[in-house]
Coordinates of all heavy atoms in Angstrom, one line a residue:
E168 N 1.4 -9.1 8.7 CA 0.6 -10.2 9.4 C -0.3 -10.9 8.4 O -0.4 -12.1 8.5 CB -0.3 -9.6 10.5 CG 0.6 -9.2 11.8 CD -0.3 -8.5 12.9 OE1 -1.5 -8.3 12.5 OE2 0.2 -8.3 13.9
E169 N -0.9 -10.2 7.5 CA -1.8 -10.9 6.5 C -1.1 -11.7 5.5 O -1.5 -12.8 5.2 CB -2.6 -9.8 5.8 CG -3.7 -9.1 6.7 CD -4.6 -8.2 5.9 OE1 -4.5 -8.1 4.7 OE2 -5.5 -7.7 6.6
D170 N 0.0 -11.2 5.0 CA 0.8 -12.0 4.0 C 2.2 -11.4 3.8 O 2.3 -10.7 2.9 CB 0.0 -12.2 2.7 CG 0.6 -13.4 1.9 OD1 1.8 -13.7 2.0 OD2 -0.3 -14.1 1.3
P171 N 3.2 -11.8 4.6 CA 4.5 -11.2 4.4 C 5.1 -11.6 3.1 O 5.9 -10.8 2.6 CB 5.3 -11.8 5.6 CG 4.5 -13.0 6.0 CD 3.1 -12.7 5.7
A172 N 4.8 -12.8 2.6 CA 5.4 -13.1 1.3 C 5.0 -12.2 0.2 O 5.8 -11.8 -0.7 CB 5.0 -14.6 0.9
V173 N 3.8 -11.8 0.1 CA 3.2 -10.9 -0.9 C 3.9 -9.5 -0.7 O 4.2 -8.9 -1.7 CB 1.7 -10.8 -0.9 CG1 1.2 -9.7 -1.7 CG2 1.1 -12.2 -1.3
S174 N 4.0 -9.1 0.5 CA 4.6 -7.7 0.8 C 6.1 -7.8 0.3 O 6.5 -6.8 -0.4 CB 4.6 -7.4 2.3 OG 3.3 -7.2 2.7
R175 N 6.8 -8.8 0.5 CA 8.1 -8.9 0.0 C 8.2 -9.0 -1.5 O 9.1 -8.4 -2.2 CB 8.8 -10.1 0.6 CG 9.0 -10.0 2.1 CD 9.9 -11.1 2.8 NE 10.2 -10.9 4.1 CZ 9.4 -11.4 5.1 NH1 8.4 -12.2 4.8 NH2 9.7 -11.1 6.4
L176 N 7.3 -9.8 -2.1 CA 7.2 -9.9 -3.6 C 7.0 -8.6 -4.2 O 7.7 -8.2 -5.2 CB 6.1 -10.9 -4.0 CG 5.9 -11.0 -5.5 CD1 7.1 -11.5 -6.2 CD2 4.7 -11.9 -5.8
R177 N 6.0 -7.8 -3.8 CA 5.7 -6.5 -4.4 C 6.8 -5.5 -4.3 O 7.1 -4.9 -5.3 CB 4.5 -6.0 -3.7 CG 3.2 -6.8 -3.8 CD 2.1 -6.3 -3.0 NE 1.4 -5.2 -3.6 CZ 0.6 -4.3 -3.0 NH1 0.4 -4.4 -1.7 NH2 0.1 -3.3 -3.7
T178 N 7.5 -5.5 -3.2 CA 8.6 -4.5 -3.0 C 9.8 -5.0 -3.8 O 10.5 -4.2 -4.4 CB 9.0 -4.3 -1.6 OG1 9.3 -5.6 -0.9 CG2 7.9 -3.6 -0.8
R179 N 10.0 -6.3 -4.0 CA 11.1 -6.8 -4.8 C 10.9 -6.5 -6.2 O 11.8 -6.1 -7.0 CB 11.2 -8.3 -4.6 CG 12.5 -9.0 -5.2 CD 12.6 -10.4 -4.9 NE 11.7 -11.3 -5.5 CZ 10.7 -12.0 -4.9 NH1 10.6 -11.9 -3.6 NH2 9.9 -12.8 -5.6
L180 N 9.6 -6.6 -6.7 CA 9.3 -6.2 -8.1 C 9.5 -4.7 -8.3 O 9.9 -4.3 -9.4 CB 7.9 -6.6 -8.4 CG 7.6 -8.1 -8.5 CD1 6.1 -8.4 -8.7 CD2 8.4 -8.8 -9.6
M181 N 9.3 -3.9 -7.3 CA 9.5 -2.5 -7.5 C 11.0 -2.2 -7.8 O 11.3 -1.3 -8.5 CB 9.1 -1.7 -6.2 CG 7.6 -1.6 -6.0 SD 7.3 -0.8 -4.4 CE 8.2 0.7 -4.5
V182 N 11.9 -3.0 -7.2 CA 13.3 -2.8 -7.4 C 13.8 -3.4 -8.7 O 14.6 -2.8 -9.5 CB 14.1 -3.5 -6.2 CG1 15.6 -3.4 -6.5 CG2 13.8 -2.7 -4.9
Q183 N 13.2 -4.6 -9.0 CA 13.8 -5.4 -10.2 C 13.1 -5.0 -11.5 O 13.7 -5.3 -12.5 CB 13.6 -6.9 -9.9 CG 14.4 -7.4 -8.7 CD 14.1 -8.8 -8.3 OE1 13.1 -9.4 -8.9 NE2 14.9 -9.4 -7.5
V184 N 11.9 -4.5 -11.5 CA 11.1 -4.3 -12.7 C 10.9 -2.8 -13.0 O 10.1 -2.3 -12.3 CB 9.8 -5.1 -12.7 CG1 9.0 -4.9 -14.0 CG2 10.0 -6.6 -12.4
P185 N 11.6 -2.3 -14.0 CA 11.4 -0.9 -14.2 C 9.9 -0.4 -14.5 O 9.6 0.7 -14.1 CB 12.3 -0.6 -15.5 CG 13.3 -1.7 -15.4 CD 12.6 -2.9 -14.9
A186 N 9.2 -1.3 -15.2 CA 7.8 -0.9 -15.5 C 6.9 -0.8 -14.1 O 6.1 0.1 -14.0 CB 7.1 -1.9 -16.4
V187 N 7.2 -1.6 -13.2 CA 6.5 -1.6 -11.9 C 6.9 -0.3 -11.2 O 6.1 0.4 -10.6 CB 6.8 -2.9 -11.1 CG1 6.2 -2.7 -9.7 CG2 6.2 -4.1 -11.8
R188 N 8.3 -0.1 -11.2 CA 8.7 1.1 -10.4 C 8.2 2.4 -11.1 O 7.8 3.3 -10.4 CB 10.3 1.1 -10.4 CG 10.9 2.2 -9.6 CD 12.3 2.0 -9.3 NE 13.1 1.9 -10.6 CZ 13.6 0.7 -11.1 NH1 13.4 -0.4 -10.5 NH2 14.4 0.7 -12.2
S189 N 8.1 2.4 -12.4 CA 7.6 3.6 -13.1 C 6.1 3.8 -12.8 O 5.7 5.0 -12.5 CB 7.8 3.5 -14.6 OG 7.2 4.5 -15.3
R190 N 5.4 2.7 -12.8 CA 3.9 2.9 -12.5 C 3.7 3.3 -11.0 O 2.8 4.1 -10.7 CB 3.3 1.5 -12.7 CG 1.8 1.6 -12.6 CD 1.1 2.5 -13.7 NE -0.3 2.4 -13.7 CZ -1.1 3.1 -14.4 NH1 -0.6 4.1 -15.2 NH2 -2.4 3.0 -14.4
M191 N 4.6 2.8 -10.1 CA 4.5 3.2 -8.8 C 4.7 4.7 -8.6 O 4.0 5.4 -7.8 CB 5.5 2.4 -7.9 CG 5.5 2.8 -6.4 SD 3.9 2.2 -5.7 CE 4.1 3.0 -4.1
M192 N 5.7 5.2 -9.3 CA 5.9 6.7 -9.2 C 4.8 7.5 -9.8 O 4.4 8.6 -9.2 CB 7.2 7.0 -10.0 CG 8.5 6.4 -9.4 SD 10.0 6.8 -10.2 CE 10.1 8.5 -9.8
E193 N 4.1 7.0 -10.8 CA 2.9 7.6 -11.4 C 1.8 7.7 -10.3 O 1.1 8.7 -10.2 CB 2.4 6.9 -12.6 CG 3.4 7.1 -13.8 CD 2.9 6.3 -15.0 OE1 1.7 5.9 -15.0 OE2 3.6 6.1 -16.0
S194 N 1.7 6.6 -9.6 CA 0.5 6.5 -8.6 C 0.8 7.3 -7.4 O -0.1 7.6 -6.6 CB 0.3 5.0 -8.2 OG 1.4 4.5 -7.4
M195 N 2.0 7.8 -7.2 CA 2.4 8.5 -6.0 C 1.5 9.8 -5.9 O 1.2 10.3 -4.8 CB 3.9 8.9 -5.9 CG 4.7 7.7 -5.6 SD 6.5 8.1 -5.8 CE 6.7 9.4 -4.7
S196 N 1.2 10.4 -7.0 CA 0.5 11.7 -7.0 C -0.9 11.5 -6.4 O -1.4 12.3 -5.7 CB 0.4 12.3 -8.4 OG -0.3 11.4 -9.2
V197 N -1.5 10.3 -6.7 CA -2.9 10.0 -6.1 C -2.8 9.9 -4.6 O -3.6 10.5 -3.8 CB -3.4 8.7 -6.7 CG1 -4.8 8.4 -6.1 CG2 -3.6 8.8 -8.2
T198 N -1.8 9.2 -4.1 CA -1.6 9.0 -2.7 C -1.3 10.4 -2.0 O -1.7 10.7 -0.9 CB -0.5 8.0 -2.3 OG1 -0.9 6.7 -3.0 CG2 -0.4 7.8 -0.8
G199 N -0.5 11.1 -2.7 CA -0.1 12.5 -2.3 C -1.3 13.4 -2.1 O -1.4 14.1 -1.1
H200 N -2.2 13.4 -3.0 CA -3.4 14.2 -2.9 C -4.3 13.8 -1.8 O -4.8 14.6 -1.0 CB -4.2 14.2 -4.2 CG -3.6 14.9 -5.4 ND1 -3.1 16.2 -5.3 CD2 -3.3 14.5 -6.7 CE1 -2.6 16.6 -6.4 NE2 -2.8 15.6 -7.3
M201 N -4.3 12.5 -1.6 CA -5.1 12.0 -0.4 C -4.5 12.4 0.9 O -5.2 12.9 1.8 CB -5.1 10.4 -0.4 CG -5.8 9.7 0.7 SD -4.9 9.6 2.2 CE -3.5 8.6 1.7
L202 N -3.1 12.4 1.0 CA -2.5 12.8 2.2 C -2.6 14.3 2.4 O -2.7 14.8 3.5 CB -1.0 12.4 2.1 CG -0.2 12.6 3.4 CD1 -0.8 11.8 4.6 CD2 1.3 12.1 3.2
C203 N -2.6 15.1 1.3 CA -2.8 16.5 1.4 C -4.2 16.8 2.1 O -4.3 17.7 3.0 CB -2.8 17.2 0.0 SG -1.2 17.4 -0.7
R204 N -5.2 16.1 1.7 CA -6.5 16.3 2.4 C -6.5 15.9 3.8 O -7.1 16.6 4.6 CB -7.6 15.3 1.6 CG -7.8 15.8 0.2 CD -9.1 15.2 -0.3 NE -9.1 13.7 -0.2 CZ -8.6 12.9 -1.2 NH1 -8.1 13.4 -2.3 NH2 -8.7 11.6 -1.1
A205 N -5.7 14.8 4.2 CA -5.7 14.4 5.5 C -4.9 15.5 6.4 O -5.4 15.8 7.5 CB -4.9 13.1 5.7
V206 N -3.8 16.0 5.9 CA -3.1 17.1 6.5 C -4.0 18.3 6.7 O -4.0 19.0 7.8 CB -1.8 17.4 5.8 CG1 -1.1 18.6 6.4 CG2 -0.9 16.2 5.7
A207 N -4.7 18.7 5.6 CA -5.5 19.9 5.7 C -6.6 19.7 6.7 O -6.9 20.6 7.5 CB -6.1 20.1 4.3
E208 N -7.2 18.6 6.8 CA -8.3 18.3 7.8 C -7.8 18.5 9.2 O -8.4 19.0 10.1 CB -8.9 16.9 7.7 CG -9.7 16.8 6.4 CD -10.2 15.3 6.2 OE1 -10.0 14.5 7.2 OE2 -10.8 15.0 5.2
R209 N -6.5 18.0 9.5 CA -6.0 18.0 10.8 C -5.5 19.4 11.2 O -5.6 19.9 12.3 CB -4.8 17.0 10.9 CG -4.1 17.1 12.3 CD -5.0 16.7 13.4 NE -5.4 15.3 13.4 CZ -4.7 14.3 13.9 NH1 -3.5 14.6 14.5 NH2 -5.1 13.1 13.8
T210 N -4.8 20.2 10.2 CA -4.2 21.4 10.5 C -5.0 22.6 10.2 O -4.7 23.7 10.7 CB -2.9 21.5 9.7 OG1 -3.2 21.5 8.3 CG2 -2.0 20.3 10.0
G211 N -6.2 22.5 9.5 CA -7.0 23.6 9.1 C -6.4 24.4 7.9 O -7.0 25.5 7.6
R212 N -5.4 23.8 7.3 CA -4.8 24.5 6.1 C -5.6 24.1 4.8 O -6.3 23.1 4.9 CB -3.3 24.2 6.0 CG -2.5 24.6 7.2 CD -1.1 24.4 7.0 NE -0.6 25.3 5.9 CZ 0.5 26.0 6.0 NH1 1.2 26.0 7.2 NH2 1.0 26.8 5.1
D213 N -5.4 24.8 3.8 CA -5.9 24.4 2.5 C -5.1 23.3 1.9 O -3.8 23.3 1.9 CB -5.9 25.6 1.5 CG -6.6 25.3 0.3 OD1 -6.2 24.5 -0.6 OD2 -7.7 26.0 0.0
P214 N -5.7 22.2 1.4 CA -4.9 21.1 0.8 C -4.0 21.5 -0.4 O -3.1 20.8 -0.7 CB -6.0 20.1 0.4 CG -7.2 20.8 0.3 CD -7.1 21.9 1.3
G215 N -4.3 22.6 -1.0 CA -3.5 23.1 -2.1 C -2.4 24.0 -1.7 O -1.6 24.4 -2.6
D216 N -2.2 24.3 -0.4 CA -1.1 25.1 0.0 C 0.2 24.5 -0.4 O 0.4 23.2 -0.3 CB -1.1 25.3 1.6 CG -2.1 26.3 2.0 OD1 -2.7 27.0 1.1 OD2 -2.3 26.4 3.2
L217 N 1.2 25.3 -0.8 CA 2.5 24.8 -1.2 C 3.1 24.0 -0.1 O 3.6 22.9 -0.3 CB 3.4 25.9 -1.6 CG 4.9 25.5 -1.9 CD1 4.9 24.6 -3.1 CD2 5.7 26.8 -2.1
E218 N 3.1 24.5 1.2 CA 3.7 23.8 2.3 C 3.1 22.4 2.5 O 3.8 21.4 2.8 CB 3.6 24.6 3.6 CG 4.5 25.9 3.6 CD 3.8 27.0 2.8 OE1 2.6 26.9 2.3 OE2 4.4 28.1 2.7
V219 N 1.8 22.3 2.4 CA 1.1 21.1 2.6 C 1.5 20.1 1.4 O 1.7 18.9 1.7 CB -0.5 21.3 2.6 CG1 -1.2 19.9 2.6 CG2 -0.9 22.1 3.8
R220 N 1.5 20.5 0.2 CA 1.8 19.7 -0.9 C 3.3 19.2 -0.8 O 3.6 18.0 -1.1 CB 1.6 20.4 -2.2 CG 0.1 20.7 -2.5 CD -0.1 21.7 -3.7 NE 0.5 21.1 -4.9 CZ 0.4 21.8 -6.0 NH1 -0.2 23.0 -6.1 NH2 1.0 21.3 -7.1
V221 N 4.2 20.1 -0.4 CA 5.6 19.7 -0.3 C 5.8 18.6 0.8 O 6.4 17.6 0.6 CB 6.5 20.9 0.0 CG1 7.9 20.5 0.3 CG2 6.5 21.8 -1.3
Y222 N 5.1 18.9 1.9 CA 5.2 17.9 3.0 C 4.6 16.6 2.6 O 5.3 15.5 2.9 CB 4.4 18.4 4.3 CG 4.4 17.4 5.4 CD1 5.5 17.2 6.2 CD2 3.3 16.6 5.5 CE1 5.5 16.3 7.2 CE2 3.2 15.6 6.5 CZ 4.3 15.4 7.3 OH 4.3 14.5 8.3
A223 N 3.5 16.5 2.0 CA 2.8 15.3 1.7 C 3.6 14.5 0.7 O 3.9 13.3 0.9 CB 1.4 15.6 1.1
M224 N 4.2 15.2 -0.4 CA 4.9 14.4 -1.4 C 6.3 14.1 -0.9 O 6.8 13.0 -1.3 CB 5.0 15.3 -2.7 CG 3.7 15.5 -3.4 SD 2.8 13.9 -3.7 CE 4.0 13.0 -4.7
S225 N 6.8 14.8 0.1 CA 8.1 14.4 0.7 C 7.9 13.1 1.5 O 8.7 12.2 1.5 CB 8.6 15.5 1.6 OG 8.9 16.7 0.9

Side-chain angles (χ1 to χ4, degrees):
E168 287 177 352
E169 289 189 359
D170 200 323
V173 169
S174 292
R175 293 187 176 95
L176 172 63
R177 297 173 79 196
T178 53
R179 189 170 73 245
L180 291 174
M181 285 174 57
V182 172
Q183 297 176 347
V184 182
V187 173
R188 185 164 60 254
S189 177
R190 188 63 172 172
M191 182 64 190
M192 295 182 70
E193 290 177 13
S194 70
M195 286 171 59
S196 62
V197 177
T198 304
H200 288 311
M201 179 279 302
L202 189 57
C203 283
R204 294 196 302 273
V206 174
E208 289 177 5
R209 175 63 67 87
T210 63
R212 301 186 66 134
D213 189 294
D216 281 354
L217 175 62
E218 291 81 4
V219 172
R220 292 170 59 179
V221 169
Y222 173 81
M224 292 311 298
S225 296

